[in-house]
Amino acid sequence: MADSPGDQSTNTFDIVILGGGSGGYACALRAVQLGLSVALVEKGKLGGTCLHNGCIPTKALLHAAEVADETRHSETYGVKATFEGIDMAQVNSYKAGVIDRLYKGLQGLIKSGGITVVEGEGRLVSTDANGGGVVEVDGQQYTGRNVVLATGSYARSLPGLEIGGRVVTSEEALTMSEVPEKVVIIGGSVIGVEFASVWRSFGAEVTIIEALPSLVPLEDPTLSKNLERAFRKRKIAFKTGTKFSGVEQTDSGVTVSLEDGSTIETDLVLVAVGRGPNGNGNGFEEAGVTVDRGWVPTDERLRTNVPGVFAVGDLVPGLQLAHRGFAHGIFVAEEIAGLSPQPVLDPGIPRVTYCDPELASVGITEPQAKEKYGDENVETVEYNLGGNGKSQILGTAGVIKLVREKDGPIVGVHMIGARYGEQVGEASLIVNWEAYPEDVAQLIHAHPTQNEALGEAALALAGKPLHSHA
């Protein structure tokens, strides 16, 4: 264990954190900066799902996929290169190297911060009416004047669908040693479309099954339509508004049955129907904390129903994003320290889907805006990347859509195109600072950049388009 200002003789700390993923370790790091003593309990590896089984490894695979596609199409740019195939052993080695470097860096931060790391499976065994509670790990108890629940999430399955063999979740898909020839992906949201993009770039035939009417159904309809158009061009097949009804495995493959009566023969099935909260089985309810179907409800200050017990990250109903977890963790540490930080609100959190093309958005969609303000009080503009020089150089199609309250601020920014995740920072500032189109239009965006397209969209919405028609 690292040295800590906590009372080691009684294992009493200002904060005991149950879970060392994005929300948990961010809370720990910020808390020790503020002079609080911290015990951080983790049964696996520090960094949690995001670092080891989620964000980082999937994005490493997506970068490898991008390299594969660039190699295939190199002659378009006058570069002669030969694509010989995918070496999954080397891909996995590259992926592991990225994870290992980040993991070592995180371990160094935690150690230098003087955080007491407790290895093992923790359980909340009691809470105190005056605040905080006790976490037990392998028979040893740790008392927190405050307790932070940060146990994260797990890959969901579907009722009646057993994971195993040729039916996998994203966690198994990340460790595959070969590229399947044919894949069916059940679920067309973030995880599903990202793996579809990877496997198609690696050479697999891919079919996505999505029960709702469109791919990425939580995004603005303009992004969904553009992604579907791009996937058709990439020959990624998909069936929307269609539910899966069953699978049958054999030694040679899998038969996927759909409710419309059709079947698909495939080599592998990826179940990508989202992630469920890890709120059950950790003693929360028994200790008096309200749990709702695995979620731990909180108020906007991330307080549970029990004094001195907070919840952060994927446990809390709402967006399941690592950067939301980071923000939650920092917020709770500052809240406990008495700094009265601003609450973390989901509509202001940027969202990126890292398939090809990438989707990036902040704020509310056009339908949500119309529901909130009324149809007549919403204005939108779409700027096509066909007018953006850098997008033409990169060979990407896409669009930037701005949504504003009529005569008011921009309330939603929705973008699709290669590498557009890197443009979401300015979009986040625009929405969170409640900027008007005129505010953004007067800012100078470098030329030629893809970022410039965001400025062009603002110019158009402000009524003075330059490289587009109003």
Side-chain angles (χ1 to χ4, degrees), residues 418-440:
R419 306 181 185 178
Y420 256 92
E422 300 299 331
Q423 306 305 323
V424 81
E426 183 180 352
S428 182
L429 292 176
I430 289 169
V431 171
N432 284 287
W433 283 352
E434 300 181 348
Y436 282 62
E438 295 79 9
D439 297 328
V440 183

Side-chain angles (χ1 to χ4, degrees), residues 135-207:
V135 172
E136 185 172 285
V137 185
D138 297 330
Q140 183 71 50
Q141 293 192 340
Y142 301 84
T143 300
R145 299 180 184 92
N146 298 274
V147 174
V148 178
L149 309 179
T151 49
S153 60
Y154 64 92
R156 287 186 186 273
S157 185
L158 289 167
L161 181 56
E162 184 176 348
I163 303 299
R166 295 176 180 271
V167 180
V168 302
T169 68
S170 58
E171 293 183 5
E172 292 83 24
L174 284 169
T175 61
M176 292 182 62
S177 58
E178 60 183 27
V179 179
E181 290 187 15
K182 297 179 180 180
V183 184
V184 168
I185 299 174
I186 300 174
S189 288
V190 176
I191 296 172
V193 298
E194 287 187 352
F195 271 98
S197 191
V198 168
W199 277 326
R200 184 59 190 146
S201 296
F202 283 178
E205 294 182 23
V206 180
T207 303

Side-chain angles (χ1 to χ4, degrees), residues 37-329:
S37 60
V38 178
L40 180 61
V41 180
E42 173 55 50
K43 67 179 180 180
K45 291 182 176 181
L46 290 173
T49 295
C50 173
L51 177 54
H52 300 284
N53 307 107
C55 314
I56 299 302
T58 53
K59 279 48 178 183
L61 291 182
L62 281 156
H63 181 62
E66 181 183 14
V67 173
D69 285 333
E70 290 294 335
T71 305
R72 283 191 185 94
H73 304 139
S74 64
E75 287 198 11
T76 301
Y77 310 102
V79 178
K80 293 187 178 296
T82 302
F83 178 75
E84 296 182 1
I86 302 296
D87 180 349
M88 279 306 300
Q90 184 58 38
V91 170
N92 287 330
S93 176
Y94 150 70
K95 169 170 61 73
V98 173
I99 294 169
D100 187 55
R101 289 189 293 275
L102 292 171
Y103 181 44
K104 287 179 179 177
L106 176 59
Q107 287 175 306
L109 283 173
I110 295 294
K111 184 176 181 180
S112 65
I115 296 164
T116 296
V117 177
V118 183
E119 297 179 356
E121 187 167 354
R123 183 178 179 85
L124 184 64
V125 293
S126 67
T127 56
D128 190 322
N130 295 317
V134 177
V135 172
E136 185 172 285
V137 185
D138 297 330
Q140 183 71 50
Q141 293 192 340
Y142 301 84
T143 300
R145 299 180 184 92
N146 298 274
V147 174
V148 178
L149 309 179
T151 49
S153 60
Y154 64 92
R156 287 186 186 273
S157 185
L158 289 167
L161 181 56
E162 184 176 348
I163 303 299
R166 295 176 180 271
V167 180
V168 302
T169 68
S170 58
E171 293 183 5
E172 292 83 24
L174 284 169
T175 61
M176 292 182 62
S177 58
E178 60 183 27
V179 179
E181 290 187 15
K182 297 179 180 180
V183 184
V184 168
I185 299 174
I186 300 174
S189 288
V190 176
I191 296 172
V193 298
E194 287 187 352
F195 271 98
S197 191
V198 168
W199 277 326
R200 184 59 190 146
S201 296
F202 283 178
E205 294 182 23
V206 180
T207 303
I208 303 171
I209 307 300
E210 170 54 53
L212 294 175
S214 66
L215 296 181
V216 289
L218 299 182
E219 294 290 351
D220 189 275
T222 294
L223 297 197
S224 295
K225 290 175 183 176
N226 275 267
L227 181 64
E228 290 175 359
R229 185 181 302 121
F231 271 18
R232 288 189 191 98
K233 188 174 181 180
R234 294 188 61 191
K235 295 183 169 50
I236 296 174
F238 54 89
K239 292 190 173 188
T240 56
T242 304
K243 292 183 178 180
F244 127 97
S245 61
V247 300
E248 182 178 344
Q249 295 195 52
T250 67
D251 292 338
S252 58
V254 190
T255 301
V256 178
S257 299
L258 307 178
E259 286 191 352
D260 63 8
S262 64
T263 60
I264 305 173
E265 301 295 329
T266 188
D267 299 314
L268 185 77
V269 174
L270 170 64
V271 182
V273 291
R275 297 187 64 84
N278 271 325
N280 295 320
N282 301 300
F284 299 169
E285 280 191 293
E286 293 86 341
V289 176
T290 298
V291 178
D292 179 14
R293 295 165 297 171
W295 303 101
V296 177
T298 69
D299 62 13
E300 70 170 14
R301 306 204 73 77
L302 299 176
R303 297 174 294 200
T304 70
N305 64 302
V306 176
V309 179
F310 300 80
V312 300
D314 286 1
L315 271 183
V316 181
L319 296 173
Q320 291 180 308
L321 300 168
H323 44 285
R324 177 178 182 255
F326 294 144
H328 277 182

Side-chain angles (χ1 to χ4, degrees), residues 59 190 194 216-221 223 318-324 345-355 358-368 401 403 411-416 419-425 427-428 431-432:
K59 279 48 178 183
V190 176
E194 287 187 352
V216 289
L218 299 182
E219 294 290 351
D220 189 275
L223 297 197
L319 296 173
Q320 291 180 308
L321 300 168
H323 44 285
R324 177 178 182 255
L345 303 178
D346 278 11
I349 297 175
R351 309 177 297 277
V352 182
T353 302
Y354 296 87
C355 54
E358 287 185 351
L359 289 74
S361 55
V362 186
I364 59 179
T365 65
E366 181 180 351
Q368 288 169 337
K401 179 176 182 176
V403 180
V411 296
V413 179
H414 308 279
M415 306 178 286
I416 182 170
R419 306 181 185 178
Y420 256 92
E422 300 299 331
Q423 306 305 323
V424 81
S428 182
V431 171
N432 284 287

